[in-house]
Amino acid sequence: LKGCVIMKNYHTEFKFNLFVLGPMHIGSGKKYTKKEYIYENEKYYFPDMGELYLKIRNNEKLSKEFIEFMSEKNTGYRTTSLKEFLSKNNITDRDFGGYSIAESGYEFEKKQGSRNWNNARNDSLRNLNEIVAFVKDEFGNPYIPGSSLKGAIRTILVNEEFKTDDVPWKDGNNIFNEIRVSDSKPISVDNLTLVQKWDYNAKKNCSNSLPIWRESLKPLTRVEFTITTSSERARKLIENLSHYAKIFYQRYKNKFLSAYPDSIIQKNIGCPIYLGAGSGLWTKVDYHHVRIDKIQEKSYKKMKMKGNGVLKLTRYKKVKIKTKDGKYIPLAKDVFYEMGKCGFSIKEVDVG
């Protein structure tokens, strides 16, 4: 039509499928203490504490005891776990809402001097630290925020396309505003497991467990996202994301992973990407500008890093994946997995 300007639609939609290869944790900021979960029958039960209180509040004595038990100032209250509190008050009910996570068998580390596995389990339970919670939606379902995936994508593009962390922010011309990443679809709590933090030191060629436990997605979990671009330049970046991800992984391998034995490095399935807490510094930095010397000089013990740091691992039972030719191959060569390691595939969607 004369006088009309036809605007080209640059909005493009991509389907992003994430495949969890090593236990992966996205934290909610919440931590569960022994006062907020129950371990029994090879499961961890995380009740809705508000619902629990509603069921006992009509009992004045019990209600008062519960408040004292939950108080951080209850130095004189000897009961230290929720299970002990319920048992002491003859409460056998477990119908308090919430959810359960089945143990994998690797939440516990056998202690020296323990006669059998059950004793080792009990010893470790007494020493179990807080459990860091996975992020969940308003219905209690785990999910991965789009911001977490977008951050991982940004790291890949900054390293392999822009070569600097300054370009996307220059003069307010932020290309990442033209890339929108949805939150993932809700994930069933059945896909959660508990894993302990392990560090592997390349120089000493040994692993060391730390008293940190995290709710994490199990290996083999599949998660779906939608990525939408609003410009042609953004579309091209996402269209070539698989290529950039493979180059970035090779950079990571050359700089860091090559120092470690092949027996603890997982093979890539799909295009490699690392997400969440515990995946390590080198999966998250701008390699062109990171000042490793400054990190090594940090005076705070929690921040200081020797050399290139340690490989972040966790333990989980052996699992296998079925290949296209019908064979089953293990995701890891041992019970050690790379924390946060995933694979992905991406495909442009025809939205008509």
Side-chain angles (χ1 to χ4, degrees):
L1 296 175
K2 190 176 180 180
C4 292
V5 177
I6 299 175
M7 300 295 291
K8 187 173 180 180
N9 182 10
Y10 283 112
H11 281 78
T12 309
E13 191 172 298
F14 294 84
K15 183 178 180 182
F16 186 100
N17 288 311
L18 188 76
F19 185 64
V20 179
L21 300 175
M24 188 259 286
H25 171 80
I26 307 288
S28 67
K30 177 178 173 56
K31 294 180 180 179
Y32 296 109
T33 70
K34 290 182 183 178
K35 296 180 181 182
E36 297 168 286
Y37 71 86
I38 300 167
Y39 172 76
E40 59 188 5
N41 302 323
E42 301 182 348
K43 288 184 177 181
Y44 290 84
Y45 173 46
F46 299 86
D48 182 320
M49 298 301 286
E51 189 169 329
L52 191 159
Y53 178 71
L54 286 175
K55 290 195 175 183
I56 65 173
R57 66 177 179 174
N58 292 330
N59 184 321
E60 187 176 342
K61 181 177 180 298
L62 186 56
S63 175
K64 185 178 179 181
E65 276 207 31
F66 181 74
I67 293 171
E68 184 182 353
F69 164 69
M70 292 299 296
S71 172
E72 293 181 0
K73 299 178 181 180
N74 65 342
T75 52
Y77 200 88
R78 295 184 179 181
T79 303
T80 59
S81 74
L82 180 58
K83 185 176 180 180
E84 288 176 346
F85 174 83
L86 296 177
S87 177
K88 176 185 175 182
N89 290 284
N90 299 314
I91 300 173
T92 57
D93 187 12
R94 295 293 184 265
D95 186 21
F96 304 119
Y99 61 97
S100 295
I101 297 178
E103 70 171 24
S104 69
Y106 288 93
E107 292 85 0
F108 307 100
E109 181 184 3
K110 190 171 182 179
K111 302 295 182 182
Q112 191 173 12
S114 296
R115 294 183 180 180
N116 56 47
W117 181 245
N118 287 329
N119 285 338
R121 174 183 295 169
N122 292 333
D123 289 345
S124 294
L125 184 62
R126 285 195 290 272
N127 295 320
L128 195 61
N129 235 20
E130 296 171 325
I131 298 171
V132 186
F134 199 94
V135 64
K136 300 177 185 71
D137 63 20
E138 62 269 29
F139 302 105
N141 297 309
Y143 75 102
I144 299 175
S147 57
S148 296
L149 177 57
K150 188 171 181 178
I153 292 173
R154 186 182 188 283
T155 297
I156 291 170
L157 295 178
V158 160
N159 279 281
E160 308 311 331
E161 169 61 20
F162 301 117
K163 313 295 184 185
T164 172
D165 201 25
D166 296 330
V167 169
W169 307 102
K170 256 187 181 177
D171 304 320
N173 184 21
N174 185 352
I175 191 171
F176 287 100
N177 284 339
E178 299 161 15
I179 300 172
R180 296 182 182 179
V181 183
S182 73
D183 292 341
S184 77
K185 290 186 177 181
I187 306 164
S188 169
V189 291
D190 293 337
N191 289 108
L192 287 179
T193 187
L194 298 180
V195 296
Q196 186 178 10
K197 181 180 178 184
W198 285 72
D199 286 347
Y200 194 101
N201 188 304
K203 288 186 177 180
K204 296 180 180 179
N205 194 29
C206 67
S207 57
N208 179 49
S209 63
L210 288 84
I212 297 172
W213 281 261
R214 300 179 175 118
E215 286 187 335
S216 301
L217 293 181
K218 299 175 182 177
L220 301 182
T221 301
R222 296 179 184 271
V223 191
E224 222 177 275
F225 299 82
T226 298
I227 298 179
T228 306
T229 59
S230 58
S231 70
E232 182 62 16
R233 62 175 185 168
R235 184 194 68 79
K236 287 182 178 179
L237 285 179
I238 298 303
E239 185 178 59
N240 293 307
L241 183 61
S242 298
H243 170 69
Y244 291 127
K246 290 173 183 177
I247 297 175
F248 179 69
Y249 178 78
Q250 192 60 48
R251 182 190 296 276
Y252 172 52
K253 185 176 181 180
N254 294 342
K255 175 68 178 180
F256 183 72
L257 287 183
S258 58
Y260 295 87
D262 289 341
S263 59
I264 59 172
I265 305 301
Q266 292 180 256
K267 288 184 178 180
N268 294 332
I269 296 177
C271 300
I273 192 168
Y274 289 82
L275 279 177
S279 61
L281 171 73
W282 297 105
T283 68
K284 301 178 184 296
V285 297
D286 170 11
Y287 280 72
H288 303 283
H289 298 89
V290 64
R291 291 293 306 274
I292 190 67
D293 56 322
K294 293 297 182 182
I295 296 173
Q296 292 167 343
E297 290 172 6
K298 287 282 186 182
S299 58
Y300 301 104
K301 289 184 178 180
K302 289 185 178 180
M303 294 290 291
K304 192 173 182 180
M305 187 172 77
K306 293 182 179 179
N308 281 346
V310 294
L311 180 60
K312 309 295 184 179
L313 301 173
T314 192
R315 297 196 306 171
Y316 188 70
K317 60 187 178 182
K318 292 183 179 180
V319 293
K320 295 182 178 181
I321 182 174
K322 189 177 182 179
T323 61
K324 291 181 180 179
D325 58 3
K327 295 180 180 179
Y328 285 87
I329 59 171
L331 282 186
K333 296 176 183 177
D334 200 346
V335 295
F336 279 109
Y337 290 75
E338 292 180 65
M339 192 72 192
K341 180 161 188 173
C342 300
F344 74 87
S345 64
I346 188 167
K347 184 179 180 181
E348 186 174 331
V349 179
D350 184 3
V351 292

PDB file of all heavy atoms in Angstrom, residues 5-24:
ATOM      1  N   VAL A   5       4.685   1.742   5.577  1.00  0.00           N
ATOM      2  CA  VAL A   5       6.015   1.164   5.769  1.00  0.00           C
ATOM      3  C   VAL A   5       5.843  -0.234   6.343  1.00  0.00           C
ATOM      4  O   VAL A   5       5.196  -0.421   7.379  1.00  0.00           O
ATOM      5  CB  VAL A   5       6.859   2.027   6.750  1.00  0.00           C
ATOM      6  CG1 VAL A   5       8.209   1.371   6.980  1.00  0.00           C
ATOM      7  CG2 VAL A   5       7.013   3.432   6.197  1.00  0.00           C
ATOM      8  N   ILE A   6       6.382  -1.213   5.653  1.00  0.00           N
ATOM      9  CA  ILE A   6       6.287  -2.595   6.118  1.00  0.00           C
ATOM     10  C   ILE A   6       7.486  -2.877   7.032  1.00  0.00           C
ATOM     11  O   ILE A   6       8.635  -2.801   6.602  1.00  0.00           O
ATOM     12  CB  ILE A   6       6.260  -3.582   4.941  1.00  0.00           C
ATOM     13  CG1 ILE A   6       5.038  -3.301   4.061  1.00  0.00           C
ATOM     14  CG2 ILE A   6       6.252  -5.008   5.443  1.00  0.00           C
ATOM     15  CD1 ILE A   6       4.991  -4.154   2.811  1.00  0.00           C
ATOM     16  N   MET A   7       7.216  -3.161   8.313  1.00  0.00           N
ATOM     17  CA  MET A   7       8.274  -3.416   9.286  1.00  0.00           C
ATOM     18  C   MET A   7       8.589  -4.902   9.325  1.00  0.00           C
ATOM     19  O   MET A   7       7.687  -5.739   9.400  1.00  0.00           O
ATOM     20  CB  MET A   7       7.818  -2.966  10.685  1.00  0.00           C
ATOM     21  CG  MET A   7       7.480  -1.490  10.785  1.00  0.00           C
ATOM     22  SD  MET A   7       8.911  -0.437  10.520  1.00  0.00           S
ATOM     23  CE  MET A   7       9.865  -0.800  11.995  1.00  0.00           C
ATOM     24  N   LYS A   8       9.866  -5.234   9.245  1.00  0.00           N
ATOM     25  CA  LYS A   8      10.273  -6.634   9.314  1.00  0.00           C
ATOM     26  C   LYS A   8      10.238  -7.105  10.762  1.00  0.00           C
ATOM     27  O   LYS A   8      10.691  -6.398  11.670  1.00  0.00           O
ATOM     28  CB  LYS A   8      11.680  -6.791   8.747  1.00  0.00           C
ATOM     29  CG  LYS A   8      12.106  -8.241   8.620  1.00  0.00           C
ATOM     30  CD  LYS A   8      13.433  -8.355   7.892  1.00  0.00           C
ATOM     31  CE  LYS A   8      13.857  -9.813   7.770  1.00  0.00           C
ATOM     32  NZ  LYS A   8      15.148  -9.942   7.061  1.00  0.00           N
ATOM     33  N   ASN A   9       9.673  -8.269  10.973  1.00  0.00           N
ATOM     34  CA  ASN A   9       9.592  -8.831  12.319  1.00  0.00           C
ATOM     35  C   ASN A   9      10.877  -9.586  12.636  1.00  0.00           C
ATOM     36  O   ASN A   9      11.177 -10.608  12.016  1.00  0.00           O
ATOM     37  CB  ASN A   9       8.392  -9.781  12.422  1.00  0.00           C
ATOM     38  CG  ASN A   9       8.237 -10.347  13.818  1.00  0.00           C
ATOM     39  OD1 ASN A   9       8.902  -9.902  14.746  1.00  0.00           O
ATOM     40  ND2 ASN A   9       7.365 -11.324  13.966  1.00  0.00           N
ATOM     41  N   TYR A  10      11.642  -9.069  13.593  1.00  0.00           N
ATOM     42  CA  TYR A  10      12.913  -9.690  13.946  1.00  0.00           C
ATOM     43  C   TYR A  10      12.777 -10.661  15.118  1.00  0.00           C
ATOM     44  O   TYR A  10      13.751 -11.225  15.557  1.00  0.00           O
ATOM     45  CB  TYR A  10      13.948  -8.620  14.287  1.00  0.00           C
ATOM     46  CG  TYR A  10      14.524  -7.929  13.067  1.00  0.00           C
ATOM     47  CD1 TYR A  10      14.245  -6.596  12.807  1.00  0.00           C
ATOM     48  CD2 TYR A  10      15.347  -8.632  12.183  1.00  0.00           C
ATOM     49  CE1 TYR A  10      14.778  -5.960  11.702  1.00  0.00           C
ATOM     50  CE2 TYR A  10      15.885  -8.001  11.070  1.00  0.00           C
ATOM     51  CZ  TYR A  10      15.597  -6.671  10.822  1.00  0.00           C
ATOM     52  OH  TYR A  10      16.125  -6.051   9.718  1.00  0.00           O
ATOM     53  N   HIS A  11      11.591 -10.824  15.656  1.00  0.00           N
ATOM     54  CA  HIS A  11      11.412 -11.725  16.785  1.00  0.00           C
ATOM     55  C   HIS A  11      11.535 -13.175  16.318  1.00  0.00           C
ATOM     56  O   HIS A  11      10.818 -13.615  15.423  1.00  0.00           O
ATOM     57  CB  HIS A  11      10.050 -11.494  17.451  1.00  0.00           C
ATOM     58  CG  HIS A  11      10.034 -10.300  18.353  1.00  0.00           C
ATOM     59  ND1 HIS A  11       9.948  -9.018  17.857  1.00  0.00           N
ATOM     60  CD2 HIS A  11      10.125 -10.194  19.711  1.00  0.00           C
ATOM     61  CE1 HIS A  11       9.977  -8.160  18.881  1.00  0.00           C
ATOM     62  NE2 HIS A  11      10.086  -8.848  20.007  1.00  0.00           N
ATOM     63  N   THR A  12      12.472 -13.878  16.942  1.00  0.00           N
ATOM     64  CA  THR A  12      12.714 -15.282  16.619  1.00  0.00           C
ATOM     65  C   THR A  12      12.700 -16.086  17.908  1.00  0.00           C
ATOM     66  O   THR A  12      13.236 -15.649  18.931  1.00  0.00           O
ATOM     67  CB  THR A  12      14.077 -15.473  15.913  1.00  0.00           C
ATOM     68  OG1 THR A  12      14.168 -14.561  14.824  1.00  0.00           O
ATOM     69  CG2 THR A  12      14.222 -16.895  15.400  1.00  0.00           C
ATOM     70  N   GLU A  13      12.093 -17.242  17.862  1.00  0.00           N
ATOM     71  CA  GLU A  13      11.975 -18.088  19.056  1.00  0.00           C
ATOM     72  C   GLU A  13      12.799 -19.362  18.877  1.00  0.00           C
ATOM     73  O   GLU A  13      12.789 -19.980  17.811  1.00  0.00           O
ATOM     74  CB  GLU A  13      10.503 -18.433  19.298  1.00  0.00           C
ATOM     75  CG  GLU A  13      10.237 -19.084  20.640  1.00  0.00           C
ATOM     76  CD  GLU A  13       8.743 -19.224  20.919  1.00  0.00           C
ATOM     77  OE1 GLU A  13       8.065 -18.166  20.990  1.00  0.00           O
ATOM     78  OE2 GLU A  13       8.278 -20.364  21.029  1.00  0.00           O
ATOM     79  N   PHE A  14      13.498 -19.724  19.948  1.00  0.00           N
ATOM     80  CA  PHE A  14      14.313 -20.946  19.949  1.00  0.00           C
ATOM     81  C   PHE A  14      13.877 -21.844  21.109  1.00  0.00           C
ATOM     82  O   PHE A  14      13.551 -21.358  22.191  1.00  0.00           O
ATOM     83  CB  PHE A  14      15.798 -20.611  20.122  1.00  0.00           C
ATOM     84  CG  PHE A  14      16.407 -19.849  18.986  1.00  0.00           C
ATOM     85  CD1 PHE A  14      16.298 -18.458  18.927  1.00  0.00           C
ATOM     86  CD2 PHE A  14      17.089 -20.501  17.970  1.00  0.00           C
ATOM     87  CE1 PHE A  14      16.862 -17.741  17.888  1.00  0.00           C
ATOM     88  CE2 PHE A  14      17.652 -19.792  16.920  1.00  0.00           C
ATOM     89  CZ  PHE A  14      17.541 -18.413  16.879  1.00  0.00           C
ATOM     90  N   LYS A  15      13.898 -23.125  20.863  1.00  0.00           N
ATOM     91  CA  LYS A  15      13.659 -24.108  21.922  1.00  0.00           C
ATOM     92  C   LYS A  15      15.015 -24.588  22.419  1.00  0.00           C
ATOM     93  O   LYS A  15      15.831 -25.101  21.642  1.00  0.00           O
ATOM     94  CB  LYS A  15      12.842 -25.285  21.397  1.00  0.00           C
ATOM     95  CG  LYS A  15      12.481 -26.312  22.469  1.00  0.00           C
ATOM     96  CD  LYS A  15      11.624 -27.422  21.873  1.00  0.00           C
ATOM     97  CE  LYS A  15      11.262 -28.470  22.937  1.00  0.00           C
ATOM     98  NZ  LYS A  15      10.468 -29.569  22.349  1.00  0.00           N
ATOM     99  N   PHE A  16      15.262 -24.396  23.716  1.00  0.00           N
ATOM    100  CA  PHE A  16      16.540 -24.758  24.332  1.00  0.00           C
ATOM    101  C   PHE A  16      16.301 -25.931  25.275  1.00  0.00           C
ATOM    102  O   PHE A  16      15.563 -25.816  26.248  1.00  0.00           O
ATOM    103  CB  PHE A  16      17.108 -23.561  25.096  1.00  0.00           C
ATOM    104  CG  PHE A  16      18.487 -23.763  25.650  1.00  0.00           C
ATOM    105  CD1 PHE A  16      19.591 -23.253  24.990  1.00  0.00           C
ATOM    106  CD2 PHE A  16      18.688 -24.443  26.840  1.00  0.00           C
ATOM    107  CE1 PHE A  16      20.875 -23.421  25.508  1.00  0.00           C
ATOM    108  CE2 PHE A  16      19.948 -24.626  27.360  1.00  0.00           C
ATOM    109  CZ  PHE A  16      21.059 -24.107  26.691  1.00  0.00           C
ATOM    110  N   ASN A  17      16.905 -27.071  24.976  1.00  0.00           N
ATOM    111  CA  ASN A  17      16.772 -28.268  25.811  1.00  0.00           C
ATOM    112  C   ASN A  17      18.066 -28.511  26.576  1.00  0.00           C
ATOM    113  O   ASN A  17      19.128 -28.686  25.964  1.00  0.00           O
ATOM    114  CB  ASN A  17      16.443 -29.496  24.959  1.00  0.00           C
ATOM    115  CG  ASN A  17      15.026 -29.460  24.439  1.00  0.00           C
ATOM    116  OD1 ASN A  17      14.077 -29.224  25.187  1.00  0.00           O
ATOM    117  ND2 ASN A  17      14.857 -29.668  23.140  1.00  0.00           N
ATOM    118  N   LEU A  18      17.963 -28.489  27.900  1.00  0.00           N
ATOM    119  CA  LEU A  18      19.118 -28.712  28.772  1.00  0.00           C
ATOM    120  C   LEU A  18      19.087 -30.139  29.291  1.00  0.00           C
ATOM    121  O   LEU A  18      18.036 -30.654  29.680  1.00  0.00           O
ATOM    122  CB  LEU A  18      19.072 -27.734  29.945  1.00  0.00           C
ATOM    123  CG  LEU A  18      20.291 -27.705  30.858  1.00  0.00           C
ATOM    124  CD1 LEU A  18      21.438 -26.960  30.182  1.00  0.00           C
ATOM    125  CD2 LEU A  18      19.945 -27.035  32.188  1.00  0.00           C
ATOM    126  N   PHE A  19      20.260 -30.770  29.305  1.00  0.00           N
ATOM    127  CA  PHE A  19      20.384 -32.143  29.782  1.00  0.00           C
ATOM    128  C   PHE A  19      21.427 -32.158  30.890  1.00  0.00           C
ATOM    129  O   PHE A  19      22.596 -31.822  30.665  1.00  0.00           O
ATOM    130  CB  PHE A  19      20.803 -33.052  28.623  1.00  0.00           C
ATOM    131  CG  PHE A  19      20.858 -34.508  28.965  1.00  0.00           C
ATOM    132  CD1 PHE A  19      19.712 -35.188  29.329  1.00  0.00           C
ATOM    133  CD2 PHE A  19      22.052 -35.207  28.922  1.00  0.00           C
ATOM    134  CE1 PHE A  19      19.748 -36.543  29.645  1.00  0.00           C
ATOM    135  CE2 PHE A  19      22.109 -36.559  29.234  1.00  0.00           C
ATOM    136  CZ  PHE A  19      20.953 -37.228  29.591  1.00  0.00           C
ATOM    137  N   VAL A  20      21.015 -32.496  32.119  1.00  0.00           N
ATOM    138  CA  VAL A  20      21.910 -32.461  33.278  1.00  0.00           C
ATOM    139  C   VAL A  20      22.832 -33.679  33.265  1.00  0.00           C
ATOM    140  O   VAL A  20      22.369 -34.818  33.245  1.00  0.00           O
ATOM    141  CB  VAL A  20      21.103 -32.412  34.597  1.00  0.00           C
ATOM    142  CG1 VAL A  20      22.048 -32.391  35.795  1.00  0.00           C
ATOM    143  CG2 VAL A  20      20.194 -31.183  34.622  1.00  0.00           C
ATOM    144  N   LEU A  21      24.142 -33.431  33.282  1.00  0.00           N
ATOM    145  CA  LEU A  21      25.134 -34.506  33.262  1.00  0.00           C
ATOM    146  C   LEU A  21      25.760 -34.743  34.633  1.00  0.00           C
ATOM    147  O   LEU A  21      26.089 -35.869  34.995  1.00  0.00           O
ATOM    148  CB  LEU A  21      26.238 -34.175  32.251  1.00  0.00           C
ATOM    149  CG  LEU A  21      25.778 -34.005  30.795  1.00  0.00           C
ATOM    150  CD1 LEU A  21      26.950 -33.569  29.925  1.00  0.00           C
ATOM    151  CD2 LEU A  21      25.173 -35.292  30.269  1.00  0.00           C
ATOM    152  N   GLY A  22      25.961 -33.668  35.372  1.00  0.00           N
ATOM    153  CA  GLY A  22      26.456 -33.769  36.741  1.00  0.00           C
ATOM    154  C   GLY A  22      25.494 -33.028  37.645  1.00  0.00           C
ATOM    155  O   GLY A  22      24.884 -32.046  37.215  1.00  0.00           O
ATOM    156  N   PRO A  23      25.297 -33.460  38.893  1.00  0.00           N
ATOM    157  CA  PRO A  23      24.348 -32.767  39.768  1.00  0.00           C
ATOM    158  C   PRO A  23      24.510 -31.252  39.688  1.00  0.00           C
ATOM    159  O   PRO A  23      25.625 -30.730  39.714  1.00  0.00           O
ATOM    160  CB  PRO A  23      24.702 -33.303  41.157  1.00  0.00           C
ATOM    161  CG  PRO A  23      25.192 -34.695  40.877  1.00  0.00           C
ATOM    162  CD  PRO A  23      25.967 -34.582  39.595  1.00  0.00           C
ATOM    163  N   MET A  24      23.382 -30.544  39.580  1.00  0.00           N
ATOM    164  CA  MET A  24      23.412 -29.105  39.333  1.00  0.00           C
ATOM    165  C   MET A  24      22.540 -28.378  40.343  1.00  0.00           C
ATOM    166  O   MET A  24      21.403 -28.772  40.582  1.00  0.00           O
ATOM    167  CB  MET A  24      22.946 -28.824  37.906  1.00  0.00           C
ATOM    168  CG  MET A  24      23.113 -27.378  37.492  1.00  0.00           C
ATOM    169  SD  MET A  24      21.582 -26.476  37.579  1.00  0.00           S
ATOM    170  CE  MET A  24      20.758 -27.141  36.154  1.00  0.00           C
TER     171      MET A  24
END
